[in-house]
DNA sequence: GTGAAAGCGCTAACAG
DNA sequence: CTGTTAGCGCTTTCAC
């Protein structure tokens, strides 16, 4: 068995109560006593049992991570996100409990599921903007941080990137290269970021005096195949396009394949910009110019927010989006004169 | 507050104990009573509090996942592994608690760390074969499943792929294409799989009557850069090579870059085989022939093992390796005559 | 300053 | 078959 608080109490000669208070930094304990107790605790290598602790005091040191949608895990960035969450969480002595899609299938009122697991707050990724749970979370007093889905409740907030600005910068990059006919392969509109990216696309065009053309936009679904299909459709219907912006690297990779198969040479015939900067973006040929979002950082930010939300009842989260960064590689080039 | 067992007891008119037993499927409860209690529980939407449960009964429904080494998360396959773990775990009503590298920095006796977190068993990935913790785990009675590191203890086992066979098959593939001079870029020897892959390389060569040549082997470190360096060194020192086998896709991508930069055309001048079949393997140009390992499946297998280890004190794990599958793409071709 | 006692929600003897 | 009694390891009133 592990060493418990009783062992520390016995060995130090103090009561369990005093040991608890000494170790938890209460100020109604003499410094001398505290020092002694801490010494004994260290000697015994005592670590409080978190299960017991969270059972009695409702202050819980566990974050729940919900990864919704079977495909979410396939997306490479989830790994970085988790990595960031863990690093930040363990800095604050928080644990990270992961739930898969199945966990929600129980139909359990979500927050209840968390409380039963001793989870103090949740980080949710992969949520669709049409999900009814969104309204619930907004009203709930259970700490929640959404990834890439806006929300504003007493205890709910979100973290994201400035997608509009990211896309807009990419358009500026293309315009600087002389492009005027720029297509856009977007993801599905159940993802909030896609609304943002579309808005950024329009805004970017407007900024450079270009007119938005509905026919230049294709709605994919984040799969490689939809990237292929999108590229094919866009270029066939609008052969005047000299550049295509794609809302994810994976779709961009599909578009790249399709365009190459159709006989286009990149970037000479057409320029291509992805989104994410996943590992493989540097590995395609030509290497993908893409809008990088640092998912690790986003993970840390999410953890930071949820921990504050859990610890401080008065915390008023302010949403600040992380910035993306355009990584220029070989898939974009000056428009052929 | 959530609904507790007391609420169910009160509402059903039975004692807390009876409710507990009825709900946990004990057979010393009349079916009539059980039915009534279950009905009430359902009506109240009662779910037992796992924190409390694991505090008293030492049977814990949480698996701890340790992802060691900062870089592990960067490796794409971790996401699939986690995905498999979660799916299998939630099927058995187990939760998954993730620990980062930092958690182990406390110097806490590992198993103690788990017990304090209410974790019944651990799955560990990224462990080096030189890690002293290995001996500890081997002797320990704490349920542990290692990923890709062999271990055999009363409560410790491991899951992995048949790396030898995988590499061997790739060599057969190359030999079938006429290759006789095959180089090998391995990972670092702190990873068990690299010993296996080296053994597989030797075995595969022998199988086809080829002689092992020390100079044909380069030890990288799983980074793309080491792949580049390895390709450069191997091909410069041994220009007679017509094929190179690489112990990871990322290193293979590096090798591909380097070889292309050096003016080689693949697969005409030289064939290249990767390992993993990560997403990007299909996206490089030429697309990478590679040895696919299904990390999702490995995750499920690991979860299955750890759960049995936790639940059944008499469970004797038998190690059975998962098979890899050679995915032939465009980076391998017949040797130029 | 410190300790005794109560109890978080649950399971597990032990009686009846 | 069912209920009473004791705790799991910890925090937290409330006395002293």
């Amino acid at each position: 068995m592990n060493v418990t608080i009783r062992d520390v109490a016995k060995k130090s000669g103090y009561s369990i109560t005093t040991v608890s208070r000494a170790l938890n930094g209460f100020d109604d304990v003499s410094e001398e006593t505290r020092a002694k107790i801490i010494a004994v605790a260290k000697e015994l290598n005592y670590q409080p049992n978190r299960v017991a602790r969270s059972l009695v005091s409702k202050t819980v040191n566990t974050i729940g991570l919900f990864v919704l949608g079977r495909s979410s895990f396939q997306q490479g960035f989830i790994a970085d996100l988790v990595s960031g969450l863990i690093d930040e969480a363990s800095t604050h002595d928080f644990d990270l409990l992961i739930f898969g899609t199945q966990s929600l299938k129980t139909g359990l009122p979500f927050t209840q599921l968390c409380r039963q697991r001793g989870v103090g707050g949740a980080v949710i990724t992969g949520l669709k903007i049409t999900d009814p749970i969104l309204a619930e979370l907004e009203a709930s007093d259970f700490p929640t941080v959404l990834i890439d889905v806006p929300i504003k409740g007493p205890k709910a907030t979100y973290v994201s990137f400035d997608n509009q600005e990211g896309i807009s910068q990419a358009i500026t990059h293309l315009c600087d290269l002389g492009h005027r006919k720029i297509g856009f392969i977007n993801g599905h509109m159940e993802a909030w970021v896609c609304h943002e990216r579309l808005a950024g696309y329009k805004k970017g065009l407007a900024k450079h005096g270009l007119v938005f053309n509905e026919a230049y936009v294709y709605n994919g679904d984040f799969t490689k195949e939809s990237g292929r299909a999108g590229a094919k459709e866009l270029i066939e219907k609008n052969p005047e396009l000299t550049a295509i912006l794609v809302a994810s690297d994976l779709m961009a990779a599909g578009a790249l394949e399709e365009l190459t198969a159709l006989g286009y040479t990149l970037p000479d015939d057409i320029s291509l910009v992805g989104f994410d900067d996943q590992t493989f973006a540097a590995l395609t040929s030509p290497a993908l110019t893409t809008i990088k979002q640092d998912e690790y950082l986003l993970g840390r930010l999410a953890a930071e927010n949820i921990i504050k939300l859990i610890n401080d009842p008065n915390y008023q989260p302010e949403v600040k989006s992380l910035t993306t960064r355009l990584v220029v590689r070989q898939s974009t080039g000056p428009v052929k004169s």
Side-chain angles (χ1 to χ4, degrees), chain A residues 4-5 17 20 24 46 48-49 53:
Chain A
T4 76
I5 197 171
T17 316
S20 171
N24 287 315
Y46 166 74
N49 181 319
R53 183 198 295 237

mmCIF file of all heavy atoms in Angstrom, chain A residues 4-5 17 20 24 46 48-49 53, chain D residues 7-15:
data_model
loop_
_atom_site.group_PDB
_atom_site.id
_atom_site.type_symbol
_atom_site.label_atom_id
_atom_site.label_comp_id
_atom_site.label_asym_id
_atom_site.label_seq_id
_atom_site.Cartn_x
_atom_site.Cartn_y
_atom_site.Cartn_z
ATOM 1 N N THR A 4 0.087 6.988 3.329
ATOM 2 C CA THR A 4 -1.061 7.892 3.413
ATOM 3 C C THR A 4 -0.775 9.019 4.398
ATOM 4 O O THR A 4 0.274 9.057 5.033
ATOM 5 C CB THR A 4 -2.318 7.146 3.899
ATOM 6 O OG1 THR A 4 -2.186 6.939 5.301
ATOM 7 C CG2 THR A 4 -2.456 5.820 3.180
ATOM 8 N N ILE A 5 -1.758 9.855 4.510
ATOM 9 C CA ILE A 5 -1.594 10.997 5.392
ATOM 10 C C ILE A 5 -1.462 10.538 6.846
ATOM 11 O O ILE A 5 -0.842 11.202 7.671
ATOM 12 C CB ILE A 5 -2.785 11.972 5.218
ATOM 13 C CG1 ILE A 5 -2.431 13.340 5.805
ATOM 14 C CG2 ILE A 5 -4.051 11.400 5.839
ATOM 15 C CD1 ILE A 5 -3.458 14.394 5.490
ATOM 16 N N THR A 17 -5.291 16.143 10.728
ATOM 17 C CA THR A 17 -5.774 17.471 10.364
ATOM 18 C C THR A 17 -4.618 18.441 10.159
ATOM 19 O O THR A 17 -4.541 19.153 9.150
ATOM 20 C CB THR A 17 -6.663 18.030 11.486
ATOM 21 O OG1 THR A 17 -7.522 17.016 11.928
ATOM 22 C CG2 THR A 17 -7.442 19.211 10.978
ATOM 23 N N SER A 20 -2.634 17.775 7.088
ATOM 24 C CA SER A 20 -3.343 18.233 5.902
ATOM 25 C C SER A 20 -3.170 19.734 5.730
ATOM 26 O O SER A 20 -2.834 20.212 4.647
ATOM 27 C CB SER A 20 -4.832 17.879 6.021
ATOM 28 O OG SER A 20 -5.550 18.488 4.987
ATOM 29 N N ASN A 24 -1.074 21.770 2.837
ATOM 30 C CA ASN A 24 -1.851 22.536 1.871
ATOM 31 C C ASN A 24 -1.666 24.038 2.034
ATOM 32 O O ASN A 24 -2.409 24.836 1.485
ATOM 33 C CB ASN A 24 -3.326 22.179 1.969
ATOM 34 C CG ASN A 24 -3.590 20.804 1.386
ATOM 35 O OD1 ASN A 24 -3.093 20.481 0.320
ATOM 36 N ND2 ASN A 24 -4.348 19.995 2.099
ATOM 37 N N TYR A 46 5.646 11.023 0.676
ATOM 38 C CA TYR A 46 4.178 11.062 0.681
ATOM 39 C C TYR A 46 3.621 11.937 -0.442
ATOM 40 O O TYR A 46 4.118 13.026 -0.690
ATOM 41 C CB TYR A 46 3.685 11.586 2.026
ATOM 42 C CG TYR A 46 2.234 11.977 2.015
ATOM 43 C CD1 TYR A 46 1.242 11.002 1.996
ATOM 44 C CD2 TYR A 46 1.854 13.318 2.013
ATOM 45 C CE1 TYR A 46 -0.099 11.355 1.970
ATOM 46 C CE2 TYR A 46 0.516 13.674 1.999
ATOM 47 C CZ TYR A 46 -0.446 12.694 1.968
ATOM 48 O OH TYR A 46 -1.767 13.041 1.942
ATOM 49 N N PRO A 48 -0.295 13.062 -1.683
ATOM 50 C CA PRO A 48 -1.719 12.897 -1.382
ATOM 51 C C PRO A 48 -2.441 12.108 -2.473
ATOM 52 O O PRO A 48 -2.137 12.241 -3.648
ATOM 53 C CB PRO A 48 -2.243 14.332 -1.302
ATOM 54 C CG PRO A 48 -1.204 15.171 -1.934
ATOM 55 C CD PRO A 48 0.092 14.458 -1.784
ATOM 56 N N ASN A 49 -3.350 11.302 -2.061
ATOM 57 C CA ASN A 49 -4.166 10.527 -2.987
ATOM 58 C C ASN A 49 -5.229 11.437 -3.595
ATOM 59 O O ASN A 49 -6.115 11.937 -2.926
ATOM 60 C CB ASN A 49 -4.822 9.374 -2.234
ATOM 61 C CG ASN A 49 -5.665 8.530 -3.135
ATOM 62 O OD1 ASN A 49 -6.370 9.047 -3.983
ATOM 63 N ND2 ASN A 49 -5.589 7.233 -2.966
ATOM 64 N N ARG A 53 -8.904 12.950 -2.359
ATOM 65 C CA ARG A 53 -8.999 14.388 -2.262
ATOM 66 C C ARG A 53 -10.183 14.931 -3.050
ATOM 67 O O ARG A 53 -10.958 15.750 -2.571
ATOM 68 C CB ARG A 53 -7.715 15.019 -2.784
ATOM 69 C CG ARG A 53 -7.700 16.524 -2.647
ATOM 70 C CD ARG A 53 -6.655 17.140 -3.525
ATOM 71 N NE ARG A 53 -5.331 16.722 -3.087
ATOM 72 C CZ ARG A 53 -4.373 17.586 -2.751
ATOM 73 N NH1 ARG A 53 -4.609 18.874 -2.796
ATOM 74 N NH2 ARG A 53 -3.190 17.152 -2.403
ATOM 75 P P DG D 7 -13.488 0.276 11.090
ATOM 76 O OP1 DG D 7 -12.357 -0.414 10.444
ATOM 77 O OP2 DG D 7 -13.471 0.503 12.547
ATOM 78 O "O5'" DG D 7 -13.702 1.671 10.373
ATOM 79 C "C5'" DG D 7 -12.634 2.174 9.627
ATOM 80 C "C4'" DG D 7 -12.727 1.728 8.162
ATOM 81 O "O4'" DG D 7 -14.110 1.730 7.773
ATOM 82 C "C3'" DG D 7 -12.004 2.710 7.243
ATOM 83 O "O3'" DG D 7 -10.942 2.033 6.603
ATOM 84 C "C2'" DG D 7 -13.038 3.202 6.272
ATOM 85 C "C1'" DG D 7 -14.204 2.232 6.463
ATOM 86 N N9 DG D 7 -15.467 2.973 6.329
ATOM 87 C C8 DG D 7 -16.145 3.657 7.302
ATOM 88 N N7 DG D 7 -17.257 4.198 6.861
ATOM 89 C C5 DG D 7 -17.301 3.851 5.519
ATOM 90 C C6 DG D 7 -18.263 4.155 4.522
ATOM 91 O O6 DG D 7 -19.297 4.808 4.650
ATOM 92 N N1 DG D 7 -17.912 3.616 3.286
ATOM 93 C C2 DG D 7 -16.779 2.871 3.053
ATOM 94 N N2 DG D 7 -16.604 2.432 1.825
ATOM 95 N N3 DG D 7 -15.892 2.567 3.963
ATOM 96 C C4 DG D 7 -16.213 3.090 5.174
ATOM 97 P P DC D 8 -9.565 2.779 6.445
ATOM 98 O OP1 DC D 8 -8.561 1.859 7.002
ATOM 99 O OP2 DC D 8 -9.702 4.143 6.984
ATOM 100 O "O5'" DC D 8 -9.332 2.940 4.874
ATOM 101 C "C5'" DC D 8 -9.490 1.866 3.970
ATOM 102 C "C4'" DC D 8 -9.646 2.458 2.579
ATOM 103 O "O4'" DC D 8 -11.033 2.727 2.328
ATOM 104 C "C3'" DC D 8 -8.912 3.775 2.416
ATOM 105 O "O3'" DC D 8 -7.711 3.540 1.686
ATOM 106 C "C2'" DC D 8 -9.873 4.653 1.589
ATOM 107 C "C1'" DC D 8 -11.204 3.916 1.608
ATOM 108 N N1 DC D 8 -12.340 4.624 2.260
ATOM 109 C C2 DC D 8 -13.545 4.802 1.577
ATOM 110 O O2 DC D 8 -13.645 4.384 0.427
ATOM 111 N N3 DC D 8 -14.582 5.426 2.200
ATOM 112 C C4 DC D 8 -14.432 5.857 3.458
ATOM 113 N N4 DC D 8 -15.473 6.455 4.031
ATOM 114 C C5 DC D 8 -13.204 5.680 4.166
ATOM 115 C C6 DC D 8 -12.192 5.075 3.539
ATOM 116 P P DG D 9 -6.321 3.910 2.368
ATOM 117 O OP1 DG D 9 -5.318 3.279 1.514
ATOM 118 O OP2 DG D 9 -6.355 3.635 3.817
ATOM 119 O "O5'" DG D 9 -6.250 5.482 2.191
ATOM 120 C "C5'" DG D 9 -6.139 6.039 0.895
ATOM 121 C "C4'" DG D 9 -6.478 7.507 0.977
ATOM 122 O "O4'" DG D 9 -7.817 7.646 1.484
ATOM 123 C "C3'" DG D 9 -5.584 8.304 1.927
ATOM 124 O "O3'" DG D 9 -4.994 9.339 1.176
ATOM 125 C "C2'" DG D 9 -6.528 8.809 3.005
ATOM 126 C "C1'" DG D 9 -7.871 8.782 2.298
ATOM 127 N N9 DG D 9 -9.016 8.612 3.175
ATOM 128 C C8 DG D 9 -9.103 7.827 4.292
ATOM 129 N N7 DG D 9 -10.273 7.858 4.859
ATOM 130 C C5 DG D 9 -11.017 8.722 4.068
ATOM 131 C C6 DG D 9 -12.358 9.155 4.184
ATOM 132 O O6 DG D 9 -13.186 8.843 5.043
ATOM 133 N N1 DG D 9 -12.712 10.034 3.159
ATOM 134 C C2 DG D 9 -11.871 10.447 2.164
ATOM 135 N N2 DG D 9 -12.371 11.294 1.276
ATOM 136 N N3 DG D 9 -10.612 10.058 2.033
ATOM 137 C C4 DG D 9 -10.255 9.199 3.022
ATOM 138 P P DC D 10 -4.112 10.446 1.853
ATOM 139 O OP1 DC D 10 -3.111 10.880 0.870
ATOM 140 O OP2 DC D 10 -3.680 10.046 3.195
ATOM 141 O "O5'" DC D 10 -5.170 11.619 1.996
ATOM 142 C "C5'" DC D 10 -5.613 12.271 0.814
ATOM 143 C "C4'" DC D 10 -6.905 13.003 1.085
ATOM 144 O "O4'" DC D 10 -7.748 12.176 1.889
ATOM 145 C "C3'" DC D 10 -6.768 14.285 1.887
ATOM 146 O "O3'" DC D 10 -6.614 15.365 0.976
ATOM 147 C "C2'" DC D 10 -8.078 14.387 2.631
ATOM 148 C "C1'" DC D 10 -8.701 13.009 2.509
ATOM 149 N N1 DC D 10 -9.074 12.396 3.808
ATOM 150 C C2 DC D 10 -10.377 12.594 4.276
ATOM 151 O O2 DC D 10 -11.148 13.301 3.620
ATOM 152 N N3 DC D 10 -10.745 12.023 5.451
ATOM 153 C C4 DC D 10 -9.870 11.260 6.126
ATOM 154 N N4 DC D 10 -10.287 10.694 7.256
ATOM 155 C C5 DC D 10 -8.545 11.042 5.655
ATOM 156 C C6 DC D 10 -8.192 11.633 4.504
ATOM 157 P P DT D 11 -6.159 16.782 1.557
ATOM 158 O OP1 DT D 11 -5.652 17.570 0.414
ATOM 159 O OP2 DT D 11 -5.329 16.588 2.761
ATOM 160 O "O5'" DT D 11 -7.559 17.384 1.992
ATOM 161 C "C5'" DT D 11 -8.495 17.741 0.984
ATOM 162 C "C4'" DT D 11 -9.792 18.183 1.608
ATOM 163 O "O4'" DT D 11 -10.207 17.230 2.617
ATOM 164 C "C3'" DT D 11 -9.753 19.552 2.295
ATOM 165 O "O3'" DT D 11 -10.913 20.236 1.888
ATOM 166 C "C2'" DT D 11 -9.794 19.214 3.781
ATOM 167 C "C1'" DT D 11 -10.636 17.924 3.772
ATOM 168 N N1 DT D 11 -10.433 16.988 4.918
ATOM 169 C C2 DT D 11 -11.529 16.635 5.674
ATOM 170 O O2 DT D 11 -12.648 17.060 5.498
ATOM 171 N N3 DT D 11 -11.255 15.737 6.688
ATOM 172 C C4 DT D 11 -10.030 15.168 6.991
ATOM 173 O O4 DT D 11 -9.910 14.376 7.920
ATOM 174 C C5 DT D 11 -8.929 15.591 6.160
ATOM 175 C C7 DT D 11 -7.555 15.046 6.401
ATOM 176 C C6 DT D 11 -9.176 16.471 5.170
ATOM 177 P P DT D 12 -11.003 21.827 2.112
ATOM 178 O OP1 DT D 12 -11.615 22.409 0.910
ATOM 179 O OP2 DT D 12 -9.698 22.314 2.586
ATOM 180 O "O5'" DT D 12 -12.036 21.904 3.321
ATOM 181 C "C5'" DT D 12 -13.244 21.160 3.253
ATOM 182 C "C4'" DT D 12 -13.934 21.159 4.596
ATOM 183 O "O4'" DT D 12 -13.367 20.134 5.449
ATOM 184 C "C3'" DT D 12 -13.804 22.478 5.378
ATOM 185 O "O3'" DT D 12 -15.089 22.818 5.871
ATOM 186 C "C2'" DT D 12 -12.849 22.129 6.508
ATOM 187 C "C1'" DT D 12 -13.211 20.658 6.749
ATOM 188 N N1 DT D 12 -12.162 19.846 7.435
ATOM 189 C C2 DT D 12 -12.554 18.954 8.417
ATOM 190 O O2 DT D 12 -13.711 18.799 8.768
ATOM 191 N N3 DT D 12 -11.527 18.247 8.986
ATOM 192 C C4 DT D 12 -10.179 18.341 8.667
ATOM 193 O O4 DT D 12 -9.356 17.644 9.256
ATOM 194 C C5 DT D 12 -9.843 19.283 7.635
ATOM 195 C C7 DT D 12 -8.415 19.476 7.221
ATOM 196 C C6 DT D 12 -10.843 20.002 7.065
ATOM 197 P P DT D 13 -15.535 24.308 5.998
ATOM 198 O OP1 DT D 13 -17.011 24.331 5.984
ATOM 199 O OP2 DT D 13 -14.774 25.117 5.053
ATOM 200 O "O5'" DT D 13 -15.050 24.699 7.441
ATOM 201 C "C5'" DT D 13 -15.956 25.268 8.379
ATOM 202 C "C4'" DT D 13 -16.884 24.214 8.964
ATOM 203 O "O4'" DT D 13 -16.199 22.950 9.039
ATOM 204 C "C3'" DT D 13 -17.294 24.611 10.388
ATOM 205 O "O3'" DT D 13 -18.710 24.513 10.572
ATOM 206 C "C2'" DT D 13 -16.556 23.633 11.291
ATOM 207 C "C1'" DT D 13 -16.152 22.482 10.373
ATOM 208 N N1 DT D 13 -14.748 22.048 10.671
ATOM 209 C C2 DT D 13 -14.542 21.055 11.586
ATOM 210 O O2 DT D 13 -15.443 20.502 12.183
ATOM 211 N N3 DT D 13 -13.229 20.730 11.792
ATOM 212 C C4 DT D 13 -12.122 21.275 11.184
ATOM 213 O O4 DT D 13 -10.995 20.893 11.456
ATOM 214 C C5 DT D 13 -12.402 22.321 10.231
ATOM 215 C C7 DT D 13 -11.295 23.011 9.520
ATOM 216 C C6 DT D 13 -13.682 22.660 10.024
ATOM 217 P P DC D 14 -19.428 25.326 11.720
ATOM 218 O OP1 DC D 14 -20.857 24.972 11.722
ATOM 219 O OP2 DC D 14 -18.998 26.722 11.560
ATOM 220 O "O5'" DC D 14 -18.747 24.757 13.046
ATOM 221 C "C5'" DC D 14 -19.031 23.422 13.455
ATOM 222 C "C4'" DC D 14 -18.126 23.034 14.608
ATOM 223 O "O4'" DC D 14 -16.774 22.822 14.135
ATOM 224 C "C3'" DC D 14 -18.033 24.114 15.694
ATOM 225 O "O3'" DC D 14 -18.382 23.528 16.931
ATOM 226 C "C2'" DC D 14 -16.558 24.532 15.663
ATOM 227 C "C1'" DC D 14 -15.893 23.272 15.136
ATOM 228 N N1 DC D 14 -14.549 23.503 14.527
ATOM 229 C C2 DC D 14 -13.505 22.620 14.813
ATOM 230 O O2 DC D 14 -13.729 21.653 15.559
ATOM 231 N N3 DC D 14 -12.283 22.839 14.271
ATOM 232 C C4 DC D 14 -12.094 23.895 13.479
ATOM 233 N N4 DC D 14 -10.865 24.069 12.957
ATOM 234 C C5 DC D 14 -13.139 24.809 13.169
ATOM 235 C C6 DC D 14 -14.337 24.587 13.710
ATOM 236 P P DA D 15 -19.065 24.504 18.073
ATOM 237 O OP1 DA D 15 -20.540 24.377 18.047
ATOM 238 O OP2 DA D 15 -18.457 25.852 18.007
ATOM 239 O "O5'" DA D 15 -18.541 23.794 19.405
ATOM 240 C "C5'" DA D 15 -17.329 24.227 19.919
ATOM 241 C "C4'" DA D 15 -16.398 23.065 20.209
ATOM 242 O "O4'" DA D 15 -15.475 22.926 19.099
ATOM 243 C "C3'" DA D 15 -15.586 23.331 21.465
ATOM 244 O "O3'" DA D 15 -15.558 22.195 22.278
ATOM 245 C "C2'" DA D 15 -14.199 23.692 20.952
ATOM 246 C "C1'" DA D 15 -14.139 23.055 19.558
ATOM 247 N N9 DA D 15 -13.421 23.923 18.606
ATOM 248 C C8 DA D 15 -13.924 24.989 17.918
ATOM 249 N N7 DA D 15 -13.041 25.566 17.131
ATOM 250 C C5 DA D 15 -11.879 24.830 17.328
ATOM 251 C C6 DA D 15 -10.591 24.924 16.790
ATOM 252 N N6 DA D 15 -10.249 25.862 15.904
ATOM 253 N N1 DA D 15 -9.663 24.034 17.201
ATOM 254 C C2 DA D 15 -10.014 23.096 18.092
ATOM 255 N N3 DA D 15 -11.198 22.903 18.666
ATOM 256 C C4 DA D 15 -12.087 23.806 18.228
#
